[in-house]
Amino acid sequence: MNNSTVWGRFTNRSCAPGVMFVIATGVASVSFGQTTRATQEPLSGRTGQSGSVTATESPVPGTTTSVNTINPTVQVQGPYAGSAAGKTPFSGQLSLRDAVNRGLEYNLGAVGVAQAVRQAHGQSRVARSALLPNVNGYLSETVQQISLVTSGLKFNLPPSLGFSIPTIVGPFNYFDLRATLTQTVADMTAWNNYRSAKENLRANELSGKDARDLVVLAVGGAYLQAIAAAARVNSARAQLETASALYQQTSQQRNVGLVAQIDVNRSRIQMLTQQQRLASLQNDLGKQKINLARMTGLPPNDRYDVVDDVPFRAAPAITIEDALKQAFSQRWDLKAADAQVRSAERSRSAARAERLPSLSLSADYGAIGTNPSEAHGTFSVVGSLKFAIWQSGRIEGDIEQADAALSQRQAELEDLRGQVEADVRKVYLDLEAARSQVGVATENLQVTKENLNLTRQRYEAGVTDNVEVVQSQESVAGADLDYINSVFAHNVAKLSLARAVGQAADNLAQFLQTRQQQTGSGAERYRADDQGHANSIAAGFDF
């Protein structure tokens, strides 16, 4: 369909001999055809998300003699596993709060979302510019020669007139210095595009805050893994000292003929086994510290100290009903999904508004002449009313696309509501299982240590050989690791609860209480004071 234009023109001229200047021109026009189109949203509001952080606690498969029946993991994928190079001075000692703060500043997941917010802000400004005045200027110098014949103008004058009209005009020149103004007066499509862009910006800002919570979960989980790995190393070092002492004692007894060589060999094998176990656990600790450094903008090595412990303490006394209320009101990802729905609604309104007329105004003012000293001011003002008559199904296609995006985002919002509730309920199940396992692991550790003392007394009295002592040592080592893993599982569950209810970046201290690392074996350093530990075991959770 060709656009047609009807206009009225008024012209004011000032004439001199042989010269005519056009002083002012005003034009009102009506065009058939809508020029502004709706900005289409991506089908899914989740397409901009990359990377994930997930804390899970799965049961240990099969039967086992260990009281450890939970396998806690914090899976970090995509940009959340990396970071930009940190510029904040680092003392070589990393606390949990320092690690989280560095992660919030340098973690690549947070940095990437921050740049997405900037991009959305730029898109919003572009959409707003369609509603605001746009002023431009230009300066041109024109040199022109015209062939009247090629333009279709032919003059056949009788020779008797004594003159003829040339077929070539020029060359002639003129310059034009001009400022132009365009202003949208009424365009509902452009207005709704701008409102959609604002909601999209809001959604990206909320996603940025949600990314901060994911960074807390990723960095906090990595820090807890480093603490647990350090506790396992200390436990293995203590077990190696015990095994070495037993080997020395057995060797001395062999020298005086009190025990057989097989007892010496058995205790030596036990000592070597503990040495290898210590080496493997030190290797794991180094890797965990490197992973933590990668998330927090530190150089990717293990040459720094993790200075905080997170001993066992009960989670905050929050009922599951209150936790669900907090999650629905505080989760940034839920708010972002709601903003994505509103953005899609504005896009659909913009598509429907393509059927409506739009009104715009354009004007220009400048000086034109053969040179600046002979230039004269001229201006024009044009008001345009544009409306669609027939667009061959284009508007209907835009509406259909916008409807599809809106339906998809509404479905994603409902799915996310269900996911939030599922996150909270699963965290409470993990908390209860981990709390129960800590209680069992504590009692098991006390019993195995008591058995080891009794067994060593029997061995020193000559009642039994060192087989029972070696077995008791293995039981203590296993019980120590079970307790460390149980506390780690409980801390991960509390960290997951902070993420599940929302605003983990602001409320982390309410869920994980730290203290400076202490000396001693792994479980002793990992454990709270005896009375507080016993009270925590008995406290449980209010379901």
Side-chain angles (χ1 to χ4, degrees):
M1 178 70 185
N2 295 329
N3 290 344
S4 300
T5 304
V6 180
W7 66 86
R9 180 188 296 266
F10 66 87
T11 304
N12 186 5
R13 295 185 177 91
S14 175
C15 298
V19 180
M20 178 178 70
F21 292 98
V22 178
I23 304 300
T25 302
V27 179
S29 66
V30 179
S31 298
F32 305 136
Q34 176 65 264
T35 57
T36 304
R37 293 190 62 182
T39 302
Q40 294 296 335
E41 297 287 322
L43 183 61
S44 172
R46 300 175 178 176
T47 53
Q49 298 179 357
S50 60
S52 63
V53 183
T54 307
T56 60
E57 295 190 4
S58 55
V60 176
T63 59
T64 176
T65 57
S66 170
V67 301
N68 178 33
T69 59
I70 300 176
N71 181 28
T73 58
V74 180
Q75 299 174 351
V76 183
Q77 298 177 345
Y80 292 98
S83 64
K87 298 179 176 59
T88 303
F90 180 55
S91 64
Q93 295 187 332
L94 189 66
S95 66
L96 176 59
R97 174 47 59 186
D98 291 339
V100 170
N101 289 339
R102 294 184 67 91
L104 292 174
E105 185 172 1
Y106 300 118
N107 187 272
L108 199 59
V111 171
V113 175
Q115 300 312 312
V117 172
R118 291 184 60 193
Q119 186 179 50
H121 184 262
Q123 292 171 349
S124 176
R125 295 182 66 180
V126 170
R128 184 182 61 180
S129 68
L131 302 172
L132 298 178
N134 286 266
V135 180
N136 297 287
Y138 66 86
L139 171 64
S140 65
E141 174 71 25
T142 304
V143 178
Q144 190 172 3
Q145 188 176 52
I146 302 174
S147 172
L148 298 180
V149 175
T150 57
S151 300
L153 299 176
K154 297 181 179 180
F155 302 96
N156 296 318
L157 299 180
S160 60
L161 294 177
F163 68 91
S164 63
I165 298 177
T167 60
I168 302 297
V169 178
F172 58 91
N173 70 289
Y174 64 92
F175 88 100
D176 191 3
L177 176 61
R178 191 163 303 277
T180 63
L181 167 70
T182 58
Q183 169 67 65
T184 299
V185 179
D187 188 336
M188 294 306 298
T189 298
W191 171 244
N192 281 293
N193 280 342
Y194 172 55
R195 296 173 71 189
S196 175
K198 285 183 61 179
E199 291 295 342
N200 188 52
L201 172 60
R202 175 64 175 164
N204 278 275
E205 290 174 342
L206 293 169
S207 295
K209 294 181 178 181
D210 183 65
R212 290 172 59 85
D213 284 356
L214 290 178
V215 169
V216 171
L217 180 60
V219 174
Y223 198 93
L224 292 176
Q225 286 177 324
I227 292 175
R232 295 186 188 102
V233 168
N234 289 322
S235 174
R237 188 175 288 117
Q239 298 304 323
L240 175 59
E241 292 174 357
T242 302
S244 298
L246 178 63
Y247 173 65
Q248 294 295 332
Q249 181 182 14
T250 307
S251 298
Q252 293 172 1
Q253 291 176 339
R254 172 59 181 164
N255 291 335
V256 297
L258 295 179
V259 297
Q261 182 63 36
I262 189 172
D263 292 329
V264 177
N265 294 341
R266 188 182 296 115
S267 60
R268 183 170 183 271
I269 292 174
Q270 176 67 11
M271 181 186 67
L272 294 175
T273 300
Q274 292 296 342
Q275 287 179 347
Q276 180 57 39
R277 179 176 297 166
L278 176 60
S280 298
L281 291 174
Q282 287 174 332
N283 176 62
D284 179 64
L285 172 60
K287 290 181 179 179
Q288 296 297 340
K289 292 173 70 176
I290 291 174
N291 291 339
L292 177 59
R294 286 276 294 118
M295 296 180 190
T296 55
L298 295 174
N301 58 59
D302 60 344
R303 294 191 293 272
Y304 65 93
D305 296 325
V306 175
V307 298
D308 279 346
D309 278 331
V310 184
F312 176 86
R313 283 185 175 83
I318 307 173
T319 66
I320 192 170
E321 291 78 13
D322 290 339
L324 287 171
K325 291 179 181 178
Q326 291 183 25
F328 287 131
S329 63
Q330 296 182 167
R331 282 280 291 261
W332 299 118
D333 52 347
L334 200 58
K335 295 180 180 180
D338 188 56
Q340 290 279 8
V341 171
R342 294 195 300 271
S343 177
E345 290 173 345
R346 303 308 182 204
S347 292
R348 184 179 63 177
S349 298
R352 291 175 174 176
E354 291 181 20
R355 295 192 177 104
L356 302 177
S358 63
L359 178 62
S360 63
L361 176 69
S362 61
D364 70 78
Y365 179 83
I368 186 171
T370 56
N371 56 64
S373 63
E374 297 180 359
H376 199 291
T378 63
F379 70 88
S380 66
V381 180
V382 178
S384 300
L385 179 67
K386 301 176 182 179
F387 54 90
I389 297 178
W390 172 250
Q391 299 294 319
S392 301
R394 190 203 74 187
I395 296 178
E396 288 74 13
D398 287 343
I399 294 174
E400 187 174 5
Q401 292 181 67
D403 271 333
L406 176 59
S407 297
Q408 176 69 17
R409 296 190 179 192
Q410 288 173 336
E412 290 173 352
L413 176 59
E414 292 302 318
D415 173 70
L416 186 57
R417 290 182 182 275
Q419 183 63 49
V420 168
E421 181 173 356
D423 288 345
V424 173
R425 293 188 181 278
K426 288 192 291 186
V427 163
Y428 269 81
L429 293 174
D430 290 340
L431 279 170
E432 176 61 20
R435 182 193 65 82
S436 175
Q437 181 169 291
V438 170
V440 175
T442 301
E443 185 174 356
N444 182 56
L445 183 58
Q446 294 172 349
V447 171
T448 55
K449 285 185 176 181
E450 183 179 353
N451 286 341
L452 176 60
N453 291 332
L454 295 175
T455 303
R456 294 193 67 170
Q457 292 174 11
R458 286 165 51 84
Y459 174 69
E460 292 170 355
V463 178
T464 183
D465 57 18
N466 67 352
V467 173
E468 293 184 7
V469 178
V470 171
Q471 291 175 343
S472 296
Q473 283 182 328
E474 286 292 334
S475 297
V476 171
D480 208 23
L481 294 178
D482 287 343
Y483 179 80
I484 293 170
N485 191 77
S486 300
V487 176
F488 172 59
H490 190 262
N491 286 334
V492 169
K494 290 192 293 183
L495 182 62
S496 300
L497 178 60
R499 157 60 180 165
V501 300
Q503 301 185 9
D506 301 323
N507 302 324
L508 180 62
Q510 299 179 14
F511 295 87
L512 295 179
Q513 293 81 35
T514 63
R515 70 178 182 190
Q516 290 293 313
Q517 288 190 353
Q518 302 174 0
T519 59
S521 68
E524 290 170 349
R525 293 173 61 253
Y526 218 6
R527 190 180 300 125
D529 59 275
D530 293 340
Q531 185 61 42
H533 178 65
N535 293 340
S536 297
I537 292 293
F541 300 96
D542 185 2
F543 285 92

